[in-house]
């Protein structure tokens, strides 16, 4: 739980002459921190140029604060303080002087905040339409400030007739190249927009959530609480983004039992009562939005710790056991035969255990082989045989693609799946192994399908961008999604079926080449709300046997299974997807004699007239940045 | 003329069993080269998979040509030959086998062409709708071929109900990251689209122009000629892009006097009769689309050769002389006074000569000073004084920003302009110099305005991209535009007026800081035809005195003036601009104590609903990549 605790602070609604008293009182009432203006309203005269001309000129030439223009005059309490910047900036003014004064004053305030050592400052107003000059000023100013971070206050709903705040934020973010120093302080309003619009914020760098007092309502006992839709959204944001939370207090108590303490206490109550983490979430806690290079289990040998991690999955082995169980019943309905079962890629043996349990439960006799090519895992297999399995299992140390079997099997069991299904070369390995399988034999899995969906995530984009090279933008990552939002539901790309009877073989039964394992698919997504697309989410769904499935696809995810996180294919340059546009994704699985790789490209089209709005490059041509070795 | 000569070749319309005879005859008829299919139609059986299964499989595993499937069987004549690839590729087929065979066969053909040492091959058909897979195949295949270039045949008009060929080409180009190995072979059709649509091709890498025989009409003497619109377009393309030209011949002569010779002779006739190059064009011949870093005449000292080049301009000095002449008349209507004239930044002295001529012509007495800070140019000034001017001119070796004048001038003459007007720091220099000017004195120039327009140019984009770094995409270039097409007419950004009475000064009369020379402007362009935008064109227009102007702005360009080429501000990632969209450009001129720089950003919006279609980063924040030193 503690890891989901959000600090709760008090946002000043006035300019306090004695900021220290304000902070003391706020702390005594139990707030973790406060947010207060740094400068006094008198500072406004410089921004608006109403100061007398000589003073104005000398300020413009070298801006310095006069003590009387400051509310926060010293670094005392600076660890408890978020500085709120002046509210009178007019970066969008047609008056160049006003623009320029705003820029000079903002620099001055930020320099002061940085001198005080403030961790964060908040810009309290967005321009109504034109944010470009503001984006430029923020970008340039923040570049020279090393420590302090900026939050921009953005309301969740637009003013009557005003621009969508998300659209303004989206421009700022894109114009500043997704600056990692500029974040969102999302302000709740009495009315909330629909869920789609709220969900978009989950893909944004929301560092603070502002809950103004007028959003609270009274509960039957006359304490301040949030309406249900606000509660729900606050909880989701707490769970996914762990923001700082800022409440404001009314000047006069709104409800009978409302006191300065009750607002933050209610927020903390919500925070304590987030839904329990399920098995997957607890497992994933440390991995959220953390990019991992996908495994190369064929070229490399997996570590002991990797085996240990995925062997803890409570669901995967259950499903495999069930699949083998059903296959054994079908294969030997009268329990008269001895069914040959071969686990290929046995690792440290858990699928061998599944087969033994299935045999026991089905009361069907089996002859069990376990094949593995990793010499280290093979030692563990030998230990298990010595200590546990003994005669029940025969071990084979070999690569399934080249091993020459002495006889054939009824059931071939394997788990060579990656997050995208085929990305750990299951198709290539099983093509080699299917020569062990009798003509009417069963492969478990019988099939797997790759899925993809367009995805928005400032966080993931910035993680990839931090490497500052093209290569990392042409590499997929295994990642537990957290601060993301899909632009549309995912769609299937391609399927691999096993056994596969249709490719040309050598006399030994091996595929002559790998052409039959190449794939190409174009899928089109309709997008309802404007979004920035940063990449593609990838998933798989696999039929183990008949209706026994495993899936990491959001709609069909096997509950509690945590062996696989989704896969993320980034886009080099994020693309804008306006409302009602279509995202056309082209995806390829390609191969030469030594490797397989993926390429992907995106075209954003206007749905009505089919005009092209954005076209990306084809990513990873010839596997130049990323490939999986055969 | 010779530099605009385009080779004219013959495009085969059939599969010739004896290619050598065909080439011999074409050469004898006077063609410079031929284009012929490399493979025989029999090769089609592999692409379509109609070959018998074993042969098919063995071909797919390692494609090799059988002699009978080839028309071009040996490298003989390969220097005269453009290879035409097979016409049966179906990269867009829903049938994966057909796609795959197409890819294998294309690789095979290209490998053969490369082995033959062909300079170019041509792909004769575009898919009807989906070019993405074709783009991927071409991109991957061309990457492994070092020498041979690819032309894609693209007709200027779409088939009834088909996609716009430009749109298909635009996708291919963008998907392949503007590959420098993939070009256009533009095919004329009987009907031509409107000029806007034709003009777009001038920004594309058109390496060949195909003029099929059925586009020709008979002239009164029954010789083949082109209709007027075709003539005009062919001439423009010849002038700007210098493509290879390919004609085809009818099977039976179409007109009484048409012979195999008459088609290419007519094309050569057009080529010989391109409009004469004007002074600017002749001067610019070697500079077309060549990127030059803008001068830094303040920080650096110009070379003698640079002065020599711009002093050859026939117009600039004429206009300056006229401006000084008019100012002298206005200043001293009755010819009773002695007018003080000061040339600041006199260089090697041509503006001094202008002043002397103006004085003579106007019969007005002047007292002439010439100030220059470049020590090397100052030697030339001394030579001129010694040998020519003698007492007529007083020389001052100084920086105009810091020199303390003993008395003031009536007319201040300078030429410190860059292609964007203020980009060579004329505003900053003249701010310093205006203290020499009497209160009612005249500055020549009196004003200058920067203009910009959104621009498409594959060529310029590729030139910048070839540096493979961000820095070069955030730098403007001075460049004589050639293979470019503007998306809309240019618009003014900002103006500098001289003298400028409004900035705060030190007691010595120098500006306290440079804030008054910062500028910010947002301009919006309406775009009619879909295009890819690669950057911004920049121009200036300057009022020297009253209605005496100099301009490099396309609409008002001073005829024959060649001292300035336009300036090009690139975009890091080209953006798609659909028909009817708006391009919003934000441009800044910014300054700190040591330098000035520009920043620029582009938002493409849907005009109707104002949705954002593309947003670029703000380029060159804080002048990180490009700046001009004060
Ligand atoms: C994802 S692990 C699964 C291990 C175990 N079956 C389980 O489910 O816990 C895949 C295993 O297949 C093995 N493997 C991969 N390719 C193989 C090949 N070509 N021949 C034999 N083993 C292979 C790897 O070494 C690894 O131990
Ligand atoms: C573009 S050249 C023009 C030269 C000459 N007037 C002509 O039109 O041929 C500009 C000249 O101004 C000089 N210059 C630039 N800044 C100057 C400054 N601050 N003080 C004095 N001279 C300067 C340069 O050295 C250069 O010779």
């Amino acid at each position: 739980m503690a890891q989901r605790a959000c600090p709760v602070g008090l946002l000043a609604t006035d300019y306090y002459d004695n900021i220290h008293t304000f902070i003391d009182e706020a702390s005594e009432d139990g707030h973790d921190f406060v947010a207060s203006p740094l400068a006094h309203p008198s500072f406004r005269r410089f921004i608006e140029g109403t100061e007398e001309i000589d003073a104005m000129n000398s300020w413009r030439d070298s801006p310095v604060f006069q003590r009387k223009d400051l509310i926060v005059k010293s670094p005392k309490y600076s660890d408890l303080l978020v500085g709120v910047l002046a509210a009178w900036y007019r970066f969008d003014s047609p008056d160049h002087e006003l623009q320029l004064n705003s820029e000079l004053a903002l620099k001055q305030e930020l320099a002061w905040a940085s001198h005080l050592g403030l961790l964060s400052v908040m810009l309290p107003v967005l321009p109504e339409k034109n944010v470009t000059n503001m984006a430029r000023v923020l970008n340039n100013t923040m570049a020279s400030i090393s420590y302090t971070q900026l939050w921009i206050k953005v309301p969740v709903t637009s003013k009557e007739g005003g621009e969508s705040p998300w659209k303004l934020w989206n421009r700022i973010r894109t114009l500043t190249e997704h600056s990692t120093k500029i974040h969102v302080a999302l302000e709740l309003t009495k009315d909330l927009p629909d869920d789609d619009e709220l969900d978009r914020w989950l893909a944004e760098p929301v560092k603070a959530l502002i809950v103004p007092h007028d959003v609270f309502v009274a509960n039957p006992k006359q304490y301040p609480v949030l309406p249900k839709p606000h509660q729900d959204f606050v909880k989701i944001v707490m769970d996914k983004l762990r923001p700082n939370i800022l409440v404001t207090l009314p000047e006069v108590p709104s409800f009978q039992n409302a006191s300065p303490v009750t607002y933050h206490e209610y927020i903390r109550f919500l925070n304590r009562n987030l839904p329990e983490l399920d098995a997957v979430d607890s497992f994933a806690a440390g991995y959220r939005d953390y990019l991992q290079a996908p495994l190369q289990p064929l070229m490399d040998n997996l570590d002991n710790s990797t085996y240990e991690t995925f062997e803890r999955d409570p669901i995967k082995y259950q499903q495999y056991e069930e699949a083998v169980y059903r296959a054994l019943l079908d294969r030997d309905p009268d329990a008269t035969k001895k069914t040959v079962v071969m686990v290929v890629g046995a690792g440290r043996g858990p699928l061998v255990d599944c087969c033994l349990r299935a045999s026991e439960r089905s009361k069907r006799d089996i002859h069990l082989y376990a094949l593995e090519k990793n010499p280290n895992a093979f030692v563990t297999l030998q230990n298990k045989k010595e200590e546990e399995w003994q005669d029940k299992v025969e071990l084979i140390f070999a690569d399934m693609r080249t091993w020459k079997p002495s006889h054939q099997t009824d059931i071939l069991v394997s788990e060579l799946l990656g997050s995208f299904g085929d990305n750990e070369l299951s198709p290539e390995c099983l093509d080699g192994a299917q020569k062990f399988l009798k003509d009417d034999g069963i492969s478990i899995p019988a099939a797997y399908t790759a899925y993809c969906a367009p995805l928005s995530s400032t966080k993931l984009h910035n993680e990839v961008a931090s490497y500052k090279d093209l290569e990392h933008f042409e590499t997929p990552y295994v990642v537990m999604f957290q601060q993301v939002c899909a632009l549309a539901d995912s769609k299937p790309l391609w399927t691999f079926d096993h056994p596969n009877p249709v490719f040309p073989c050598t006399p030994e039964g091996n595929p002559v080449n790998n052409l039959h394992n190449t794939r190409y698919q174009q899928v089109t997504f309709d997008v309802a709300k404007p979004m920035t697309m940063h990449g593609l989410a990838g998933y798989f769904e696999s039929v183990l046997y008949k209706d026994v499935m495993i899936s990491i696809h959001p709609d069909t995810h096997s509950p509690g299974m945590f062996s696989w996180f989704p896969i993320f294919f980034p886009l080099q340059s994020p693309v804008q997807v306006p409302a009602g546009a279509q995202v056309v994704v082209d995806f390829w699985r390609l191969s030469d004699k030594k490797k397989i790789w993926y390429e992907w490209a995106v075209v954003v089209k206007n749905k009505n007239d089919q005009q092209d709005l954005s076209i990306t490059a084809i990513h990873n041509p010839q596997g130049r940045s990323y490939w999986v070795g055969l």
Side-chain angles (χ1 to χ4, degrees), chain A residues 253-289:
Chain A
S254 325
F255 322 120
Q256 204 183 314
N257 285 317
S259 76
V261 182
T262 51
Y263 293 86
H264 76 81
E265 278 186 346
Y266 174 74
I267 298 290
R268 292 187 206 275
F269 163 80
L270 289 183
N271 197 196
R272 273 194 313 275
N273 288 286
L274 296 182
E276 289 279 305
L277 292 181
D278 65 15
V280 180
D281 282 335
S282 326
F283 173 78
Y287 296 98
R288 289 156 191 270
D289 289 337

Side-chain angles (χ1 to χ4, degrees), chain A residues 394-574:
Chain A
E394 272 183 57
L395 301 184
I396 301 152
F397 178 58
D399 186 316
M400 69 182 87
R401 292 172 299 170
T402 48
W403 183 61
K404 295 202 180 65
S406 48
H407 49 269
Q408 291 186 305
T409 183
D410 295 283
I411 304 178
L412 188 71
V413 183
S414 70
E415 189 281 279
L416 303 156
L417 298 170
S419 302
F420 209 37
D422 52 87
N423 62 310
E424 294 186 4
L425 307 185
S426 184
E428 285 74 11
C429 290
L430 292 184
D431 281 353
Q434 74 180 33
K435 62 180 173 294
F436 324 155
L437 193 62
K438 291 181 184 163
D439 281 350
D440 63 347
I442 295 167
S443 169
I444 296 176
Y448 33 87
T449 301
Y451 284 80
C452 82
L455 197 75
S456 179
S457 174
T458 303
K459 181 78 168 29
L460 294 182
H461 173 80
N462 279 343
E463 292 286 325
V464 180
S466 70
Y467 292 103
K468 293 180 192 293
D469 61 23
L470 172 65
E471 206 178 309
H472 281 85
F473 274 115
E474 296 194 329
T475 300
Y477 302 90
V478 168
V479 51
M480 176 65 193
F481 291 153
Q482 170 89 345
Q483 301 185 24
V484 308
C485 182
L487 283 76
D489 288 343
S490 60
K491 293 198 169 178
L493 289 171
W494 51 65
T495 298
F496 286 86
D497 292 299
H498 298 286
N500 174 2
V502 297
F503 52 82
C505 287
T506 62
E508 296 79 42
N510 288 319
V512 170
N513 55 45
N514 204 28
L515 294 173
H516 60 287
N517 285 328
T518 61
R519 293 287 188 278
Y520 166 53
Q521 191 57 262
Q522 186 174 80
V523 280
T524 300
F525 300 89
D526 285 316
V527 177
K529 285 269 184 291
M531 291 226 212
T532 295
M533 173 175 171
H534 296 98
L536 291 147
Y539 309 100
F540 81 87
E541 209 176 78
S542 171
V543 175
L544 295 183
Y545 181 69
K546 295 195 170 161
D547 60 349
V548 185
M549 315 265 301
I550 54 176
S551 166
I552 65 161
H553 179 291
D555 297 344
T556 57
H557 201 296
S558 310
M561 187 174 75
F562 59 64
S563 280
W564 295 270
F565 295 152
I567 194 165
F568 174 63
F569 291 84
L571 291 184
Q572 224 176 297
S573 316

Side-chain angles (χ1 to χ4, degrees), chain A residues 161-381:
Chain A
E163 265 303 4
S164 136
W166 182 87
K167 179 174 167 183
L168 296 176
W169 158 252
N170 187 50
R171 281 203 180 169
I172 296 171
R173 173 259 301 287
T174 312
L175 288 163
T176 59
E177 296 172 281
H178 290 64
S179 165
T180 52
K181 294 178 167 181
I182 303 179
H183 310 270
V184 173
L186 191 65
E187 185 187 39
L188 296 188
T189 47
K190 273 199 150 124
D191 294 324
L192 290 183
D194 64 29
D195 283 354
D196 270 7
E197 227 161 283
L198 286 176
D199 283 352
R200 281 192 296 186
W201 290 108
L202 302 178
E204 303 298 343
V206 175
K207 276 290 156 72
L209 187 69
I210 303 175
V211 191
H213 62 79
D214 63 357
V215 168
F216 285 86
V217 293
N219 72 358
K221 295 182 182 159
Q222 290 295 311
Y223 281 96
V225 297
L226 290 177
K228 187 70 174 54
H230 292 72
Q231 270 182 46
D232 291 345
F233 182 60
V234 168
K235 283 183 170 183
I236 293 174
V237 174
M238 282 173 169
D239 182 34
K240 298 243 176 201
L241 310 179
R242 292 168 209 182
N244 296 283
I245 303 202
L246 275 166
V247 295
T248 67
L249 293 177
E251 266 182 72
V252 285
S254 325
F255 322 120
Q256 204 183 314
N257 285 317
S259 76
V261 182
T262 51
Y263 293 86
H264 76 81
E265 278 186 346
Y266 174 74
I267 298 290
R268 292 187 206 275
F269 163 80
L270 289 183
N271 197 196
R272 273 194 313 275
N273 288 286
L274 296 182
E276 289 279 305
L277 292 181
D278 65 15
V280 180
D281 282 335
S282 326
F283 173 78
Y287 296 98
R288 289 156 191 270
D289 289 337
Y290 172 77
L291 304 180
Q292 292 174 275
L295 297 174
Q296 290 248 9
L298 191 51
M299 246 175 46
D300 305 338
N301 283 318
L302 299 181
D303 276 345
N304 191 52
S305 68
T306 308
Y307 285 108
E308 216 164 275
T309 309
F310 62 65
E311 284 174 15
R312 271 189 274 144
D313 194 300
I315 304 305
K316 171 184 141 185
Y317 298 104
Q318 199 175 300
Q319 293 300 88
Y320 264 90
E321 182 189 323
E322 185 64 19
V324 178
Y325 169 80
R326 302 246 201 120
L328 283 176
L329 291 183
D330 284 354
R331 194 75 189 163
D332 181 14
D334 317 316
T336 52
K337 291 188 275 186
K338 188 155 191 162
T339 306
V340 184
V341 179
M342 194 176 284
V343 178
V344 290
R348 306 197 315 171
L351 288 185
V352 176
D353 288 323
C354 288
C355 295
L356 292 172
R357 286 196 301 270
S359 152
E360 212 162 298
R361 187 149 71 87
S362 64
K363 305 202 170 62
R364 295 296 185 274
D365 244 15
I366 63 172
H367 194 133
L368 186 56
Y369 295 86
L371 179 149
E372 175 56 54
K373 62 102 201 175
N374 175 349
N376 312 310
F378 198 71
V379 173
T380 310
L381 287 178

Side-chain angles (χ1 to χ4, degrees), chain A residues 17-28:
Chain A
D17 284 333
N18 194 332
I19 180 74
H20 296 145
T21 315
F22 172 66
I23 297 180
D24 281 339
E25 285 176 9
S27 302
E28 271 162 36

